[in-house]
Amino acid sequence: MEQEFASSLLENAVRELSRLPGVGRKTALRLALHLLRRDESEGVALGQAIIDLRQGIRYCSVCHNISESEVCPVCASPSRDRSTVCVVENVRDVMSFENTGQYRGLYHVLGGLISPMDGVGPDMLEIDSLVERVAAGDITEVILALSATMEGDTTNFYIFRKLAPFTDLRITQLARGMAVGNEIEYTDELTLGRSLLQRTLFTDSFRS
Amino acid sequence: MEQEFASSLLENAVRELSRLPGVGRKTALRLALHLLRRDESEGVALGQAIIDLRQGIRYCSVCHNISESEVCPVCASPSRDRSTVCVVENVRDVMSFENTGQYRGLYHVLGGLISPMDGVGPDMLEIDSLVERVAAGDITEVILALSATMEGDTTNFYIFRKLAPFTDLRITQLARGMAVGNEIEYTDELTLGRSLLQRTLFTDSFRS
């Protein structure tokens, strides 16, 4: 289809927009026409923000979180607890934990989970660099904060074995149990059984 | 929330992306992280395409369709029939008619429909410029190709009255009837009645 849109600029924008996940050609056209209806400055700001994002962001050399500098703000902060490392799957999980406001330690972003089905092996993840960080000596606790899925469990276990030689290291994982707000009636048996086995002192819930 | 994303570049990209219609903050973050995972060139191409689109596209001074030059390719083409003008609501409708491959005349983009409910009056649309084009003399037929809605009918009638002084001008509108592929059982009575009143010779369907 030559010049379907009577404008190569529009054609080009639609093609690039439709590369985004969940954006088909029709949606891309709708977005492009929306941009044309709005102020020029708004469209230019969007385009520039995307370019800046892609050119300016790199990955922290310590924890592999996204960063604008060699070392990310979390790793560089003097107020964070440098003895605790929370191991997460990806950058978005870092944001989730930061948004809880409950964590003051450091992170380690694996960049994925071990998944033979998807062809992701341990060597494709930042596991060796985690072992190196632990070997350096300052870390006393590693929190395995991965999804409660088959892939998460596999990765947890692989990391656990890799870190086993560090006998002084405390290796913990996220509590598994009922989600806050859930009803027993609608909670699956596995989760219910787990939450029963790992029950906590009622008085502990007063500490926040 | 200062630095929710630990990066002002990411924060900025998410804010700009979430201005797009149908894109909330969560989707914007997903799009931004997607861009970060892909090649740098892909993200830069998207950003540049959006900037080029917004800075390079203007509107045809004759028909008000989008264009990269003073006059759009349709209006500039020597092979189009300059005696027929198809009046449409917006730029997207021009694309729809072009995609039918059935039309060789020119267009006139109104930029909307008269809608008192939405505060859109005739003076906010390109109706005066249509009358000027007709007054210039080369046009022998105006096709009113607006939606079959209350607003479309109102606008059709307003334009019809504005063009009434040009007694030699043929003013037509789109045929209304059953959509191709529709079943009688599921076609509403208004449409069915209309298609009965405006029935065509069976032999006409052999001409395409």
Side-chain angles (χ1 to χ4, degrees):
Chain A
M1 293 184 275
E2 39 105 25
Q3 291 255 330
E4 186 193 353
F5 296 149
S7 159
S8 59
L9 294 177
L10 182 60
E11 178 67 45
N12 197 30
V14 167
R15 192 183 59 245
E16 293 297 333
L17 282 166
S18 62
R19 284 187 210 272
L20 291 172
V23 177
R25 215 172 148 76
K26 283 215 162 183
T27 306
L29 175 58
R30 193 166 59 85
L31 295 177
L33 292 178
H34 167 87
L35 288 169
L36 282 174
R37 276 197 303 275
R38 306 303 293 263
D39 281 350
E40 179 171 326
S41 62
E42 191 174 315
V44 173
L46 170 61
Q48 199 58 52
I50 291 172
I51 293 175
D52 290 347
L53 172 76
R54 205 53 199 82
Q55 289 184 332
I57 289 220
R58 35 190 192 150
Y59 293 88
C60 172
S61 62
V62 179
C63 74
H64 312 289
N65 189 13
I66 53 169
S67 173
E68 290 170 33
S69 44
E70 172 73 14
V71 174
C72 76
V74 172
C75 286
S77 166
S79 67
R80 307 286 299 215
D81 168 13
R82 317 190 75 76
S83 68
T84 310
V85 169
C86 180
V87 177
V88 296
E89 178 181 351
N90 56 38
V91 168
R92 196 191 300 223
D93 294 347
V94 172
M95 295 177 200
S96 300
F97 282 106
E98 283 297 281
N99 289 339
T100 66
Q102 300 286 327
Y103 185 63
R104 299 304 301 164
L106 307 181
Y107 292 96
H108 191 87
V109 180
L110 294 178
L113 295 176
I114 298 173
S115 172
M117 294 282 282
D118 301 318
V120 181
D123 49 313
M124 297 162 76
L125 307 175
E126 293 290 351
I127 293 177
D128 288 344
S129 58
L130 173 65
V131 175
E132 280 165 31
R133 284 180 77 180
V134 171
D138 289 340
I139 296 164
T140 58
E141 177 172 359
V142 166
I143 304 169
L144 299 173
L146 304 180
S147 294
T149 59
M150 179 86 82
E151 289 78 14
D153 286 344
T154 305
T155 312
N156 275 344
F157 190 64
Y158 184 90
I159 296 175
F160 175 75
R161 289 218 314 197
K162 278 277 186 182
L163 295 179
F166 303 96
T167 46
D168 287 345
L169 185 70
R170 204 168 117 90
I171 304 177
T172 56
Q173 73 172 349
L174 294 181
R176 296 193 180 167
M178 286 179 66
V180 176
N182 268 16
E183 293 181 43
I184 296 221
E185 188 176 349
Y186 301 110
T187 305
D188 68 280
E189 294 82 359
L190 272 176
T191 304
L192 214 52
R194 197 73 173 254
S195 69
L196 191 62
L197 283 174
Q198 302 188 343
R199 63 194 179 275
T200 56
L201 276 177
F202 187 67
T203 47
D204 280 357
S205 60
F206 299 135
R207 308 181 306 191
S208 115
Chain B
M1 288 186 278
E2 41 104 24
Q3 294 255 331
E4 186 193 350
F5 294 150
S7 158
S8 59
L9 294 178
L10 182 59
E11 178 67 45
N12 197 31
V14 167
R15 192 183 59 244
E16 295 296 334
L17 281 166
S18 61
R19 284 186 211 273
L20 291 172
V23 177
R25 215 173 149 76
K26 280 215 165 184
T27 305
L29 175 59
R30 193 164 59 86
L31 294 177
L33 292 179
H34 167 86
L35 287 169
L36 282 174
R37 273 197 305 273
R38 307 303 292 262
D39 279 351
E40 179 171 326
S41 62
E42 190 174 315
V44 173
L46 171 61
Q48 198 58 51
I50 291 172
I51 293 175
D52 291 346
L53 172 77
R54 204 55 199 82
Q55 289 183 332
I57 291 220
R58 35 192 193 150
Y59 293 89
C60 174
S61 61
V62 179
C63 74
H64 312 289
N65 189 13
I66 51 169
S67 173
E68 288 169 38
S69 44
E70 172 73 13
V71 174
C72 77
V74 172
C75 288
S77 167
S79 67
R80 307 288 297 216
D81 169 12
R82 313 191 77 76
S83 68
T84 310
V85 168
C86 181
V87 177
V88 295
E89 178 181 348
N90 56 38
V91 167
R92 199 193 296 226
D93 294 348
V94 172
M95 293 176 202
S96 299
F97 283 107
E98 283 297 282
N99 288 340
T100 66
Q102 299 286 326
Y103 185 63
R104 297 305 300 164
L106 306 181
Y107 291 96
H108 191 87
V109 179
L110 294 177
L113 295 175
I114 297 173
S115 173
M117 294 283 282
D118 300 319
V120 181
D123 49 312
M124 296 162 75
L125 307 175
E126 294 290 350
I127 293 177
D128 287 345
S129 59
L130 173 64
V131 175
E132 281 165 30
R133 284 180 77 182
V134 172
D138 290 339
I139 296 165
T140 57
E141 177 173 0
V142 166
I143 304 169
L144 299 173
L146 304 180
S147 293
T149 59
M150 179 87 84
E151 290 77 16
D153 287 344
T154 305
T155 312
N156 274 344
F157 190 65
Y158 184 90
I159 294 175
F160 175 76
R161 290 216 318 196
K162 279 277 186 181
L163 295 178
F166 304 96
T167 47
D168 288 344
L169 185 70
R170 205 169 117 88
I171 304 177
T172 55
Q173 72 172 349
L174 293 182
R176 295 194 182 167
M178 287 178 64
V180 174
N182 268 16
E183 293 179 41
I184 296 221
E185 187 177 348
Y186 302 111
T187 305
D188 68 281
E189 293 84 356
L190 273 176
T191 303
L192 215 49
R194 197 73 173 257
S195 68
L196 193 61
L197 285 173
Q198 303 189 341
R199 62 194 178 277
T200 55
L201 277 177
F202 189 66
T203 48
D204 281 357
S205 60
F206 299 136
R207 306 181 308 190
S208 112

